[in-house]
Amino acid sequence: MSDALGIAVVGCGTVGGGVVEALLRHRDRLAQRAGRPLQLRHIVVRDRHKPREPFVPRELLTDSLAPVLQDAAVQVVVELIGGTTAAREVVLSSLAAGKHVVTANKALLAEAGPDIFEAARRAERTVCFEAAVAGGVPIIRALGESLAANQITAIQGILNGTSNYILTAMAERGLPYAQALEEAQAHGYAEADPSLDVDGSDAAHKLAILAQIAFGVIARPQDITRQGIDQLHPMDIRFAQELGYTIKLLAEAWTRSDPQHPDGPRGVALHVAPVLLRHTDLLAQVRGAYNAIAVYGDIVGETLYQGPGAGRGPTTSSVLADLIDLAVGRAQRTFAAARLWSRADRGFVLDPPEQVHSRFYLRLLVADKPGVLADIARILAQHTISISSVVQHEAPEGDGEPVPLVIVTHYATTGHFLAAVEQINRLPTVATPAVYYSMGD
Ligand code: NAP
Ligand code: HSE
């Protein structure tokens, strides 16, 4: 067997701890799959005096990156600390010191992808990031390698395990939002700052990475409109169920070509939002911390990838796959060929999401009196939006309280729908700002 691949793991929390444990426990299997030993040489943490899990070899612990950078036997640095400040420094200094990098840090790649990949190319080193999107689901390889012959036309994904766990717990067990989030955190699914999970940012970071691979667009986090599940009312989960739908937080990329200029740049709209999916839709059936991604390619058609999207085991599995690919030498070749975040124009520009067509779920709290529904229907009609169905439950006679009114529309352009909502919100009979979500087919 040839020389060992020397590895330093930076961060020994949920994911780093899993990687350390697996490197030690599955040493022989990994050496066999990689064709050479994967040798763990350093574990970098913030506080090396903190109690650690029993399998962590204390003699490998350090609170400084310097010994890693100085150790010529370290060929790969695995960044698993999270955040974008210290992590960026770890990645850039490791590349500059001639180390390959494996990372699970989607926030960092979404924010600093061009700088990191340029630094890697300059240093003739490789950055691997299978664990950064969808945990244990091999979506980076699927999109970048297995579907490489296709032009991707659309991506629809459940990309945040924490949100999907919360939505499942609220819909199936009737759990309050805060308790469901606590459970997700206890399982190790959530980010250190869980607001990134529930406000749609984490899914947006992952969508930016997928969009780079699929379309070559450099989408900064602020380029992706997002709405999370943190404001989702249990009432809307119940109405959705009554209508035959399940609410999922979806990250979506839809492409558009201009029939007037078929050879001109194509548009791709990126956004993250709760979406109502029919109970029978495969994505609607993805439960708990699972992720799933539907990818549409012009040659292959529709493909679907599903699996555990967060937590120690799934993320560790993807990190180890990257380490094996580096040990074998596959990752270096793929990295060089893909030229990711290189500003090479692949013919796509970012489209505003207002252009996307959808059906919409609109829920209002309105005064229970004559003419209210007629006013709302008139405004929708003015914006050429047709109503598909209306739900209003019987309220106690004459108690004067606003009542929920749910309207489902036929297909409309997002821009037209938003303009109508703005006008509806100004009606004196509408008690609180409208709640609305787009709906799957
Ligand atoms: P975590 O449990 O909070 O662990 C973070 C680790 O990083 C801790 O060991 C901490 O050290 C160490 N650390 C923090 N700042 C450091 C610094 N400046 N220098 C050295 N060490 C530092 O985080 P995690 O859940 O494992 O997530 C790590 C990364 O994986 C993040 O980018 C996250 O987005 C990504 N990710 C997580 C999951 C998941 O399911 N959790 C899934 C996919 C991707 P101490 O132990 O001394 O505090
Ligand atoms: N916090 C992330 C999630 C971890 O819940 O999906 C996986 O990237």
Side-chain angles (χ1 to χ4, degrees):
M1 204 171 269
S2 50
D3 286 352
L5 182 79
I7 297 166
V9 174
V10 186
C12 193
T14 303
V15 185
V19 172
V20 165
E21 183 178 21
L23 283 171
L24 300 173
R25 180 187 288 191
H26 303 300
R27 198 189 314 247
D28 293 344
R29 183 206 301 172
L30 294 172
Q32 193 241 331
R33 306 280 159 90
R36 54 182 170 141
L38 303 186
Q39 187 196 18
L40 178 61
R41 295 182 62 83
H42 308 269
I43 304 167
V44 186
V45 289
R46 192 168 25 200
D47 174 5
R48 70 191 163 92
H49 302 295
K50 196 166 134 177
R52 300 280 161 191
E53 291 164 288
F55 56 78
V56 176
R58 298 206 73 89
E59 68 280 9
L60 297 187
L61 282 174
T62 165
D63 52 16
S64 161
L65 192 65
V68 170
L69 301 181
Q70 286 156 12
D71 183 349
V74 169
Q75 285 128 294
V76 187
V77 171
V78 185
E79 183 278 306
L80 297 170
I81 68 180
T84 54
T85 310
R88 183 188 171 109
E89 191 48 41
V90 167
V91 167
L92 292 177
S93 53
S94 298
L95 290 169
K99 321 290 185 196
H100 300 297
V101 167
V102 174
T103 181
N105 194 332
K106 51 273 164 146
L108 180 65
L109 294 180
E111 192 178 293
D115 295 348
I116 289 171
F117 280 68
E118 184 49 39
R121 280 187 281 271
R122 221 178 311 123
E124 297 183 1
R125 289 297 175 269
T126 295
V127 179
C128 299
F129 54 98
E130 183 65 69
V133 182
V137 184
I139 187 63
I140 300 299
R141 279 177 183 72
L143 206 52
E145 298 175 34
S146 310
L147 299 180
N150 289 262
Q151 176 52 60
I152 305 304
T153 54
I155 298 173
Q156 258 190 313
I158 295 173
L159 295 181
N160 185 262
T162 301
S163 296
N164 206 52
Y165 183 92
I166 294 171
L167 289 174
T168 309
M170 288 174 76
E172 294 183 6
R173 292 190 277 145
L175 236 57
Y177 169 86
Q179 195 181 334
L181 172 57
E182 268 174 35
E183 280 191 11
Q185 287 178 296
H187 285 300
Y189 302 146
E191 297 301 301
D193 172 6
S195 65
L196 295 172
D197 292 294
V198 295
D199 74 1
S201 297
D202 178 74
H205 295 150
K206 292 165 176 165
L207 182 62
I209 295 171
L210 296 184
Q212 165 57 211
I213 299 171
F215 310 109
V217 289
I218 297 180
R220 295 158 306 162
Q222 62 269 32
D223 293 328
I224 301 180
T225 52
R226 77 200 65 160
Q227 185 187 357
I229 60 158
D230 43 352
Q231 305 298 321
L232 187 66
H233 198 291
M235 177 182 3
D236 295 306
I237 294 179
R238 287 196 298 273
F239 272 121
Q241 283 176 333
E242 185 181 329
L243 290 162
Y245 291 80
T246 303
I247 300 185
K248 292 293 183 191
L249 184 71
L250 289 193
E252 299 184 293
W254 296 106
T255 58
R256 171 194 60 83
S257 55
D258 183 351
Q260 307 292 322
H261 305 95
D263 299 326
R266 300 176 71 187
V268 56
L270 307 175
H271 57 107
V272 173
V275 175
L276 273 72
L277 297 174
R278 284 192 206 278
H279 291 325
T280 48
D281 191 311
L282 288 175
L283 289 179
Q285 291 162 32
V286 176
R287 301 171 60 251
Y290 272 58
N291 282 189
I293 307 103
V295 180
Y296 302 78
D298 63 350
I299 302 172
V300 69
E302 179 180 356
T303 60
L304 184 72
Y305 310 86
Q306 191 200 343
R312 173 170 276 189
T315 317
T316 295
S317 167
S318 289
V319 169
L320 294 174
D322 282 347
L323 288 171
I324 290 171
D325 271 6
L326 280 166
V328 170
R330 279 191 293 260
Q332 293 84 328
R333 290 181 177 197
T334 314
F335 181 81
R339 298 204 60 77
L340 291 174
W341 278 284
S342 66
R343 301 185 196 280
D345 188 0
R346 302 232 314 264
F348 279 91
V349 292
L350 286 176
D351 256 357
E354 286 75 24
Q355 306 214 1
V356 174
H357 272 66
S358 180
R359 296 182 310 127
F360 289 94
Y361 164 98
L362 173 66
R363 195 261 297 157
L364 302 155
L365 282 180
V366 295
D368 194 9
K369 55 186 197 189
V372 173
L373 184 55
D375 285 344
I376 294 165
R378 182 178 41 75
I379 293 174
L380 288 170
Q382 281 167 0
H383 292 272
T384 60
I385 299 168
S386 167
I387 293 174
S388 166
S389 67
V390 177
V391 180
Q392 185 181 342
H393 294 153
E394 207 173 330
E397 248 342 280
D399 74 355
E401 289 298 310
V403 293
L405 171 68
V406 170
I407 294 175
V408 174
T409 74
H410 284 296
Y411 274 92
T413 307
T414 303
H416 287 173
F417 178 76
L418 294 178
V421 166
E422 204 184 311
Q423 215 175 319
I424 289 169
N425 279 338
R426 287 202 297 268
L427 289 172
T429 47
V430 171
T432 54
V435 169
Y436 53 87
Y437 301 113
S438 65
M439 305 178 75
D441 289 337

